[in-house]
């Protein structure tokens, strides 16, 4: 921008001021990608595609969650506490901030699974014999994973508290209990 002063006899030298026009406020961010269900204490990544004219991405998280990396960028890492809520982002530049875009995230209230108790069933088996093994209910467990030795096979019950095993070799039978948040240490026989 420049200006000169003049009268009918002369004109002054121009005085100038350099102006910088910033781009407009960025558009609202696109969809946030990331997990919509997480476990208490879990860490998850969230991101959006680049938004034109954005210089800073401002992320907000549920009350008991923390952003552990990436604030200000298109991707963040979040560690969740016990509270569900929304992960939100607004794009900004020198002219202002866009409206926020949010993703609802549910924190699974499941606690860690408890320890697996004693496996009940025979320990001396004839080759080719099928036998049942059982464990008691494990706190917060939704699934049970049994492992058998060598060429032995589970013929029924995988995923439950009771399995039927057909034996051809000696070895160790083991089971773990799990839910979508954790897995117990194995119990062996």
């Amino acid at each position: 921008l420049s200006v000169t002063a003049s009268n009918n006899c002369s004109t002054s030298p121009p005085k100038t001021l350099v102006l910088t026009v910033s781009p407009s406020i960025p558009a609202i961010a696109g969809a946030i990608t990331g997990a919509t269900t997480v476990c208490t204490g879990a860490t998850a990544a969230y991101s959006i595609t680049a938004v034109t004219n954005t210089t800073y991405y401002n992320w907000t998280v549920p009350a008991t969650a923390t952003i552990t990396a990436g604030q200000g960028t298109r991707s963040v890492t979040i560690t969740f506490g016990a509270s569900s809520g929304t992960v939100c982002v607004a794009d900004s530049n020198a002219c202002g901030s866009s409206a926020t875009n949010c993703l609802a995230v549910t924190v699974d209230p499941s606690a860690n699974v408890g320890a697996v108790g004693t496996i009940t069933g025979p320990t001396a088996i004839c080759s080719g014999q099928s036998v049942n093994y059982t464990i008691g209910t494990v706190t917060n467990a939704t699934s049970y994973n049994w492992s058998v030795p060598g060429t032995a096979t589970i013929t029924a019950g995988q995923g439950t508290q009771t399995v039927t095993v057909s034996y051809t070799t000696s070895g160790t039978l083991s089971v773990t209990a799990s839910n979508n948040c954790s897995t117990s240490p194995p119990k062996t026989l």
Side-chain angles (χ1 to χ4, degrees), residues 57-155:
Y57 297 87
N58 187 39
W59 294 85
T60 57
V61 296
T64 58
T66 55
I67 297 171
T68 54
Q71 179 65 281
T73 69
R74 293 186 309 108
S75 300
V76 291
T77 303
I78 300 169
T79 300
F80 288 88
S83 299
S84 298
T86 55
V87 172
C88 298
V89 63
D91 319 316
S92 63
N93 62 22
C95 292
S97 295
S98 71
T100 58
N101 194 6
C102 297
L103 177 68
V105 178
T106 302
V107 175
D108 189 329
S110 298
N112 290 337
V113 294
V116 176
T118 303
I119 300 172
T120 58
T123 56
I125 305 106
C126 296
S127 181
Q129 183 180 5
S130 289
V131 292
N132 292 333
Y133 294 93
T134 302
I135 57 170
T137 301
V138 177
T139 304
N140 296 318
T142 57
S143 180
Y144 302 88
N145 186 40
W146 294 83
S147 298
V148 294
T151 57
T153 57
I154 297 172
T155 58

